[in-house]
Amino acid sequence: EFNITKMEKAIYEVAMEIGAVYVIHKFMVPFIKHVGRLWKNNKISKPQERFANAVIRNYLENYRSSFKEFNHNNPVALIATPKGQKAELGCLVNACMSASTGWNNIYLGTDLSAEDLVDAAKTSKCQCLVLSILYPLDDDSLTLELKKIRQGLGDNVEIVINGKKSNFYSETYKSIRARAVYDLFSMPSLLEEVRTKSIVRGIK
């Protein structure tokens, strides 16, 4: 119906019922996928899909910005997509998940070169770089970009990657020692695991 008030109210009611800890991977991620399926199956129009994603994007932005306090006891994560990757919703979901699992969150957005990401990582002294890779899934230049990122970061920064079907690049992920998942449901536990490892390393 293109009724933004009605849709936002419905989303926030579900979010309140589920709770902030679970709302991203138990509701927003399935909802994003549901909207995509509706459009692909011609159940909704392209304008309706765009409208729904705009409302979802606004919710994710508000959720992410609610974690404003920088806790010096928490490690730092940069959230971005590498050069050529422009899917914003996946990147925002990563930002929300990292914030909710106890990371100090620095959101950089989409389509950043290896040089820019390495520079940002060094300046921020982050412990983890979280990348979303969704499409295209046959970009030879992405392999080179990922290798440049690892070379520039060295071994002290973890690289976490998610993206449905991005196992096309699985060999590259192995070569750069990245931790990869191929569904967003696995992301919170991986981020918590990497966070614990980062804290232990910092204590040592």
Side-chain angles (χ1 to χ4, degrees):
E1 300 172 355
F2 298 104
N3 186 330
I4 188 169
T5 302
K6 186 176 180 180
M7 188 170 179
E8 285 183 338
K9 183 174 183 290
I11 289 174
Y12 278 94
E13 284 177 352
V14 175
M16 288 292 290
E17 183 177 339
I18 294 178
V21 175
Y22 303 106
V23 67
I24 298 300
H25 64 287
K26 288 195 173 182
F27 172 58
M28 292 309 296
V29 170
F31 184 48
I32 291 168
K33 292 180 178 180
H34 180 62
V35 169
R37 282 194 297 268
L38 288 176
W39 174 63
K40 287 178 181 178
N41 293 324
N42 297 315
K43 301 294 185 182
I44 60 174
S45 67
K46 185 63 175 179
Q48 286 174 316
E49 185 256 354
R50 290 287 179 88
F51 168 77
N53 283 340
V55 176
I56 291 167
R57 185 182 299 107
N58 186 56
Y59 176 84
L60 294 174
E61 285 280 14
N62 289 336
Y63 183 96
R64 180 179 68 85
S65 64
S66 69
F67 293 86
K68 291 181 178 179
E69 185 175 348
F70 193 94
N71 187 334
H72 292 280
N73 294 319
N74 290 337
V76 175
L78 293 186
I79 317 297
T81 74
K83 187 176 180 180
Q85 296 285 317
K86 301 178 182 180
E88 185 182 12
L89 287 184
C91 195
L92 278 171
V93 167
N94 280 346
C96 293
M97 287 186 176
S98 66
S100 66
T101 52
W103 289 87
N104 287 323
N105 192 286
I106 299 175
Y107 180 72
L108 301 181
T110 64
D111 197 20
L112 286 163
S113 70
E115 292 79 9
D116 287 336
L117 290 173
V118 169
D119 182 65
K122 290 180 177 179
T123 302
S124 65
K125 299 179 181 178
C126 71
Q127 286 78 39
C128 183
L129 173 63
V130 182
L131 300 174
S132 177
I133 295 176
L134 294 174
Y135 59 84
L137 295 177
D138 56 355
D139 183 1
D140 291 336
S141 65
L142 179 60
T143 296
L144 180 59
E145 286 291 302
L146 292 174
K147 290 180 178 179
K148 284 181 180 178
I149 290 170
R150 171 51 77 196
Q151 184 178 9
L153 293 180
D155 294 325
N156 293 325
V157 177
E158 292 274 7
I159 298 176
V160 172
I161 299 174
N162 79 41
K164 185 179 180 182
K165 297 182 181 179
S166 73
N167 54 352
F168 179 89
Y169 303 108
S170 60
E171 291 302 315
T172 301
Y173 297 165
K174 290 178 184 177
S175 72
I176 65 169
R177 301 176 300 285
R179 305 287 300 276
V181 296
Y182 303 110
D183 66 275
L184 287 168
F185 297 105
S186 304
M187 201 60 180
S189 59
L190 175 57
L191 288 169
E192 288 174 356
E193 179 187 337
V194 174
R195 177 179 178 272
T196 300
K197 181 180 176 181
S198 297
I199 292 173
V200 171
R201 183 190 299 153
I203 293 174
K204 290 179 181 180

